[in-house]
Amino acid sequence: MDIKETEDRIVREFELLQDWQERYKYIIKLGTKLDPLPEDDKIDENLVKGCQSQVWLTAKMEDGKVIFNADSDAAITKGLVSLMIRFYSGRTPDVIINTKPEFIDKIGMASHLSPTRANGLASMIKQMKIYAMAFKSSETLS
Amino acid sequence: MQETLKTDTKTNIDWDNIRSQFPVLRQEVNGQPLVYLDNGASSQIPQRVIDRINAYHLNEHANVHRGIHTLSQKATDAFELTRKRVQAFINARHEEEIIYTTGTTDSINLVAQSYGRKHFKENDEILISAMEHHANIVPWQLIAEQTGAILKVIPMNDDGELLMDKYHGLLSEKTKMVAVVHVSNTLGTINPVEEIIAAAHSRGIPVLVDGAQAVPHMKVDMQRLDADFYAFSAHKMCGPTGFGILFGKRELLNDMPPYRGGGDMIDKVTFEKTTWNDLPHKFEAGTPPISAGVGFAETISFLKDIGMENIAAREQELLEYATGKLNAIDGLRIVGTSENKASVISFLLKDIHPTDAGTILDQKGIAVRTGHHCTQPIMDRFEIPGTARASISFYNTKEDIDRLADGIKYVQEFF
C-alpha cells in the first residue's frame, strides 16, 4: 500500500467515528497495538525532544526503506506515534521527506500539530524526516 | 512620598461580581464553559486593567523619562505611578528600591549577574532549595560557572517541605547568597522565608526570595520580611505580561554594577567612560514595556480594592474545598501535602500519564497545566514524570472545582 492509500484508509477509519471521545479512544487503541520497542532502545539518545511525555524513536534502513519503531509513556501520544509509524515506516527516504501528513488535519487532530504543542507530534515528524534525510545522504555517499 | 491606598480588609465580598470583571472567563472552550485553573502559569486580566492599557495607548503614549514635551511627561507620570503603588503594596522603605524588569526570571538574572559578578569567587556557595523553579536555578548555575562558585541545595521531605535543620546546617562562612522560593509553583508549599532570612542574616548572608507565586496570593511586606531581594511578575497577579519587579535593599542595589547597558541607565557617556544613573534607573536600560507597566498600577489598585487578606482567605477556602474533593477520588494522589500551602494542587492519576489527563480535561473545557512545571528537580525527587496541576485563583468558584473533579473522574473512565 503506498503512502497515499495508507493516508486515505486512515481518514476513512476516522470518518466512522462520531465525536472526539470516539476519536481519542480509537487513537489510544491504536497505541496499544504498536509493536513494542525493545527496552534497550528506551534510552535518552532515542528520546524525541519537545515532547512533554517521553517518546522514543528508532530508525533503520532495510532494502532502501526506513523502518521506524517507537514508544511513549503516554497513551494518546503513543496512539499518535503509531499513526505516524503506519504512515511513514517502510517508505523510501524520498517519500518520507516529500510527503506531509495531511491526514492529521482530516482526522481532527490538527491542534496536535502545533510546533509548541506539548505532546510533540511536530517534533516527532521532524525527527522522522531528519532520519530519512540522514539515510538518503549516506546512500548518496556510498 | 509613599502613596496611601485604601485599607485592605473588607467583608461580604461579592465574588461573583469580581469574577464577572474578567472577560476572558466568559467563553466556551471545546463547547463547554471554560474552567480556567492554570493561574499559576498566568492569571487573567480584569476589565479595568484592560481599559487602563487601552486608554494609555489611545491618549498617553510616548517614550518615558526623556521627553520635554507634555505627552512624554504624561507617559512618564503614569509609568512612575506604578513604582509608588508597588512600593506601598509590598511596603518597601524606599521608592527607588523598586526596579522594573520584564518579570521574575529577569529579576533573578539581574541579581545573579550584577551582585554575583561583584561578590562571588571560587568555592563560594550559593544556597538554593530542592523546590526551585528553573528561573531560580539556572541564573545561579550560570554565575557559578563564571566565578567558580558552587550551588548547594536545601533538601525537602515527602510532603514537599524544606528540611529546616538541614538548611541551618548548610549555612557556613562559604555561603554568599541564599536564594529560595516563597511559594512553590508545583507543590504549593509556603516556605518559612522569615526563618530562612533571619538565619542567613545572623551570618551576614543576603537572601533573594522568588515571590512569583506568593505576591498574587497573600500580603507580602518587605520591611517585615527583611528580604534583601524579592522578585515577582505582573502577569501572575492579574497584570500584563512582560513586566515584573525586583525589590532590592537600597544599600545593596547602590553597591551593584549595572546589569545591562543602554539608554536611561546612564548619567554621562563618553567613549572613554560612562557614569551610571541613580537608582532605580541604573538597572533599567532601554525603553521599558511602558503600557504593561502603566496597566500594572491599575492591577495593584484592583487587588488593593479587594484586599490581599480577602484574596488569601478566599483562595484558602477554595484550596480546602478542592483538596477535599480531589482526595475523595480513588487513584488520585496529591503531590505537595504541606500543612502550609497556597492554592496549587499538583496531582497524579494511577496509570494515567498527566499529558493524557490534561488532553481529555481540555476537551471538557478545563484548563490545567501538565508536565514538570519548570521544576524538573522536583520531579526527580518524587520519581515521577510530571504532574497535572490545578492552580486556583480568587475568581475561581466551587463550581469550577466540581467541574474539575467530575472531569478527573471522566478521565479515569476514559482510560
Side-chain angles (χ1 to χ4, degrees), chain B residues 117-321:
Chain B
R117 247 182 305 153
K118 178 152 181 173
H119 295 283
F120 298 166
K121 54 182 196 310
E122 205 161 332
N123 296 323
D124 281 349
E125 292 176 2
I126 305 156
L127 192 49
I128 63 170
S129 88
M131 65 176 82
E132 296 310 317
H133 188 282
H134 295 164
N136 202 26
I137 303 174
V138 184
W140 302 110
Q141 284 174 331
L142 291 173
I143 191 67
E145 264 174 38
Q146 290 157 9
T147 58
I150 298 160
L151 228 57
K152 292 270 178 174
V153 182
I154 312 160
M156 62 177 159
N157 64 21
D158 290 341
D159 287 321
E161 296 165 326
L162 293 182
L163 300 175
M164 290 303 286
D165 54 330
K166 299 271 193 231
Y167 165 65
H168 290 287
L170 280 163
L171 288 172
S172 76
E173 69 280 1
K174 284 185 182 169
T175 315
K176 291 293 148 59
M177 174 67 75
V178 175
V180 288
V181 68
H182 196 162
V183 172
S184 163
N185 69 311
T186 302
L187 304 166
T189 314
I190 303 173
N191 284 318
V193 282
E194 279 175 71
E195 182 185 342
I196 289 171
I197 292 165
H201 283 179
S202 72
R203 290 169 168 271
I205 304 161
V207 180
L208 175 140
V209 178
D210 167 0
Q213 301 288 343
V215 183
H217 305 295
M218 62 183 78
K219 195 169 171 55
V220 176
D221 183 324
M222 287 306 113
Q223 294 188 53
R224 202 170 62 93
L225 210 56
D226 202 26
D228 300 280
F229 302 103
Y230 197 99
F232 57 102
S233 301
H235 75 97
K236 292 193 196 289
M237 49 192 290
C238 307
T241 55
F243 191 77
I245 298 294
L246 171 67
F247 160 84
K249 281 186 183 162
R250 187 168 64 181
E251 54 276 22
L252 288 167
L253 292 173
N254 267 328
D255 186 49
M256 283 157 55
Y259 163 50
R260 286 188 312 230
D264 234 20
M265 53 76 74
I266 49 88
D267 172 33
K268 185 172 167 52
V269 177
T270 66
F271 287 114
E272 289 71 37
K273 186 174 168 58
T274 295
T275 52
W276 316 129
N277 199 342
D278 293 332
L279 287 179
H281 305 292
K282 180 170 83 173
F283 292 107
E284 297 176 1
T287 297
I290 307 169
S291 63
V294 169
F296 192 45
E298 190 63 27
T299 297
I300 289 174
S301 309
F302 172 79
L303 295 174
K304 288 286 282 189
D305 286 350
I306 303 172
M308 290 312 293
E309 282 90 348
N310 295 319
I311 286 173
R314 162 81 173 170
E315 290 180 348
Q316 283 300 316
E317 187 191 337
L318 289 172
L319 172 68
E320 209 172 293
Y321 183 76

Side-chain angles (χ1 to χ4, degrees), chain A residues 118-138:
Chain A
N119 68 26
L121 183 59
S123 311
M124 204 187 312
I125 293 165
K126 191 173 154 197
Q127 190 59 43
M128 288 173 132
K129 293 199 178 222
I130 288 170
Y131 271 123
M133 280 178 222
F135 284 127
K136 190 184 172 180
S137 59
S138 63

